[in-house]
Amino acid sequence: MGASSWRDTYRGMSSDNVKGLCLALSSSFFIGASFIVKKKGLKKAASSGVRAGSGGYSYLYEPLWWVGMITMIVGEIANFAAYAFAPAILVTPLGALSIIISAALAHVILQEKLHLFGILGCVLCVVGSTTIVLHAPQEKEISSVSEVWDLAMDQAFILYASLVLIAVFILIIYFIPSYGQTHIMVYIGVCSLVGSLSVMSVKALGIALKLTLSGMNQLLYPQTWAFTLVVIVCVLTQMNYLNKALDTFNTAVVSPIYYVMFTTFTIVASIIMFKDWDRQSPTQVVTEICGFVTILSGTFLLHKTKDMADGSHTSLPVKHPRHPEDSPLIEGIALPLRRQNSSR
């Protein structure tokens, strides 16, 4: 009975879904490591120029940052390929593995301490993600990039995209100047909202390239190049604000919060655009929602670790100097979200 159940589960995953799963797992390894390498490059660049969190771009001249960037690009290429084979609701949650990798490397290499509840938060994120993956729908059969364009032009997705763009402009114009240096959700919010649109375009572009390589040339369609333009704009925006978040806040907290918000918005966008839930039973949908709740619980625990610095349960100050020094983190079990100046 058990063997039959496993065979049924395996048959339930198409060969394309298996390929997407393997590509997504390898992507997480590269991306998780890239966070640490880029953070090292940002810290090194900050010692001789203006910090990225304060609007500087001196990290562009730092070789170590470029090593991290190349590592991230390799991971993103694997992720890009994964979206061509499997639905976003399967691929995106597997980014949880990069949380574990980046948190572990941050503890060892960057000496960024993670509270026990932060570790529990990571575990909850992984459990929730696994729940979603096990109940993910099969990939929808698409034979032309024009079909994806029609899905993107649906009224429901147009409304979603419009709301995302309005929210991003409000965050950039009104909130980042005042709260970007003290509230982690501001930078991460921009990255996550824009990321949900970039993933939909990446998936469309991946499908176009997969069909082209199989003999059906999709490069002749103007929709392919429109999706390419959206990908370029969105990725550049994400890279800019993710650099600011990494330079301002601790990696072990940026990674999981970014993952959860990015995953949530991406899956919502996929449900709206590709109608993923239309091909699932109510039980599967409810189980996936439970997975979301588990992930959000993990995020809450990770975010609350900032209140446990130095054994205290009081919140950290909200306002900080705009040019803090790179002082060592507090030695102990706590992980502050914002680096603090050394006491004089």
Side-chain angles (χ1 to χ4, degrees):
M1 186 68 177
S4 175
S5 177
W6 276 109
R7 283 196 297 271
D8 291 341
T9 301
Y10 178 77
R11 283 197 294 267
M13 291 190 69
S14 65
S15 60
D16 278 354
N17 272 21
V18 172
K19 292 175 184 176
L21 178 65
C22 294
L23 287 166
L25 289 173
S26 62
S27 169
S28 294
F29 279 106
F30 284 106
I31 292 175
S34 74
F35 273 105
I36 307 305
V37 180
K38 287 175 68 179
K39 181 65 175 283
K40 292 283 286 185
L42 288 168
K43 292 178 72 175
K44 190 174 179 181
S47 64
S48 58
V50 181
R51 297 168 57 103
S54 300
Y57 294 93
S58 58
Y59 60 85
L60 294 175
Y61 301 98
E62 175 54 51
L64 190 59
W65 182 86
W66 282 107
V67 171
M69 194 64 206
I70 291 171
T71 305
M72 177 171 278
I73 289 172
V74 172
E76 292 295 351
I77 289 173
N79 204 41
F80 174 89
Y83 281 113
F85 291 98
I89 203 168
L90 170 62
V91 175
T92 309
L94 292 178
L97 183 58
S98 66
I99 296 175
I100 306 302
I101 295 170
S102 61
L105 292 177
H107 177 79
V108 174
I109 298 175
L110 301 179
Q111 284 76 50
E112 294 183 355
K113 305 301 179 182
L114 189 61
H115 192 275
L116 178 62
F117 287 145
I119 297 174
L120 178 59
C122 288
V123 172
L124 287 174
C125 288
V126 175
V127 170
S129 299
T130 303
T131 303
I132 293 172
V133 169
L134 291 177
H135 296 83
Q138 296 295 323
E139 174 72 319
K140 183 177 183 179
E141 291 293 332
I142 295 176
S143 58
S144 170
V145 71
S146 60
E147 291 183 33
V148 185
W149 182 263
D150 291 339
L151 293 172
M153 291 298 104
D154 183 77
Q155 289 184 352
F157 188 75
I158 289 292
L159 176 61
Y160 171 80
S162 299
L163 292 175
V164 165
L165 292 176
I166 291 172
V168 167
F169 280 118
I170 290 174
L171 285 172
I172 292 175
I173 295 173
Y174 293 103
F175 286 92
I176 284 180
S178 300
Y179 303 105
Q181 296 291 306
T182 56
H183 291 72
I184 191 172
M185 293 299 185
V186 179
Y187 287 141
I188 300 301
V190 173
C191 294
S192 302
L193 288 167
V194 173
S196 68
L197 298 182
S198 71
V199 168
M200 297 302 102
S201 299
V202 161
K203 184 168 181 62
L205 189 56
I207 291 171
L209 292 177
K210 184 176 73 170
L211 292 173
T212 299
L213 293 175
S214 66
M216 296 179 286
N217 190 357
Q218 303 295 303
L219 301 180
L220 301 177
Y221 290 87
Q223 293 94 329
T224 301
W225 301 105
F227 283 125
T228 302
L229 179 62
V230 173
V231 168
I232 292 172
V233 173
C234 289
V235 168
L236 289 176
T237 303
Q238 283 178 268
M239 183 180 72
N240 182 41
Y241 288 101
L242 182 57
N243 281 331
K244 293 179 183 295
L246 283 171
D247 190 55
T248 308
F249 305 100
N250 282 336
T251 309
V253 178
V254 170
S255 300
I257 293 178
Y258 174 56
Y259 158 74
V260 172
M261 291 184 66
F262 172 74
T263 299
T264 301
F265 286 122
T266 297
I267 292 178
V268 169
S270 182
I271 290 169
I272 295 173
M273 181 170 170
F274 290 96
K275 311 293 189 295
D276 291 328
W277 280 358
D278 290 354
R279 305 190 299 277
Q280 294 188 286
S281 68
T283 302
Q284 289 175 307
V285 173
V286 170
T287 304
E288 289 174 3
I289 293 174
C290 290
F292 278 122
V293 173
T294 305
I295 292 174
L296 293 176
S297 300
T299 308
F300 174 78
L301 284 178
L302 285 163
H303 192 61
K304 290 302 290 182
T305 57
K306 70 179 173 51
D307 296 329
M308 301 176 181
D310 203 23
S312 171
H313 295 281
T314 58
S315 298
L316 292 176
V318 174
K319 188 65 177 176
H320 300 281
R322 296 187 61 83
H323 300 282
E325 298 174 2
D326 280 314
S327 58
L329 295 175
I330 297 173
E331 292 298 331
I333 60 174
L335 174 64
L337 273 181
R338 184 72 164 85
R339 284 197 296 271
Q340 303 294 301
N341 283 338
S342 302
S343 58
R344 299 287 183 177

